[in-house]
Amino acid sequence: MSKWLLRGLVFAALMVILRLVQGAMINAWETKAGMISIILVSGYAVVALIWGYADGRSDARRNPDPDRREDLAMTWLLAGLFAGVVGGAVAWFIGLFYNNLYVEGLVSELTTFAAFTALLVFISAIIGTAVGHWLVDRKAPDQPRRREGDDEPTTDVFAAVRADGADYDVASAGSEAGQQTSPVALAEGDQTAPVEKRDD
């Protein structure tokens, strides 16, 4: 199961439970409907914030390089959209049989309410993700920045030769270069070498 689908299912189920609790509490304390709704929605946002924080913290620990981290924004956007659409549809279906659940029409549930849920989940989770990244990066040691061409292979054909012969003795190289194997060198080095006589 993908990450966004798991989160979407969890928050869709939480939204349905929240609306059931909201309906029951408002029926019990009708004069405090606004405060009940605000408290329940705030608790829902806090759950998304905490989960986003956990995602950001674990992602920053796995990938110290910010350029190599996961795209958690897209994960939470898809999760929020899924939670909004599915949660709204399920709440509307339950509202057909349970009159204490405050629901709108199907179109409103799949558009207005779904957009509200998606925005709430996305913003809360992204704030938590950013905080998680920041707290880990704040304590991490400074990483040396790699320049653009650090990983590119060198095109200098003499680099390997220079690297292999770095400890090559220049003096010995000169003496070895002086040793020639031509007949002229043999003649110069060996005084007893036979000399051909030319007949004039």
Side-chain angles (χ1 to χ4, degrees), residues 36 38-39 61 66 68 74 99 115 119 123-124 126 149:
I36 290 171
I38 291 173
I39 292 174
R61 286 179 172 177
R68 299 179 182 273
M74 184 57 66
N99 294 329
L119 195 62
I123 292 178
S124 302
I126 287 303

Side-chain angles (χ1 to χ4, degrees), residues 144-173:
R145 286 186 172 273
R146 294 184 303 175
R147 287 178 295 185
E148 210 170 300
D150 284 352
D151 294 336
E152 296 180 2
T154 180
T155 56
D156 187 3
V157 295
F158 299 105
V161 177
R162 283 197 296 268
D164 292 339
D167 51 355
Y168 187 73
D169 189 0
V170 179
S172 62

Side-chain angles (χ1 to χ4, degrees), residues 8 19 24 29-30 52 66 85 89 99 102 114 119 122 129 159 177 181-182 188:
R19 297 185 75 176
W29 300 285
E30 294 181 3
V85 173
N99 294 329
Y102 294 94
L119 195 62
F122 176 72
T129 300
T181 57
S182 64
E188 291 177 355

Side-chain angles (χ1 to χ4, degrees), residues 22-74:
Q22 179 191 35
M25 292 180 70
I26 289 176
N27 287 329
W29 300 285
E30 294 181 3
T31 58
K32 298 181 180 178
M35 186 175 65
I36 290 171
S37 299
I38 291 173
I39 292 174
L40 291 175
V41 170
S42 300
Y44 186 81
V46 167
V47 174
L49 181 75
I50 293 172
W51 199 335
Y53 169 76
D55 278 352
R57 190 177 179 86
S58 62
D59 183 41
R61 286 179 172 177
R62 281 195 311 271
N63 303 303
D65 186 1
D67 295 332
R68 299 179 182 273
R69 291 175 182 170
E70 297 182 33
D71 188 7
L72 294 175
M74 184 57 66

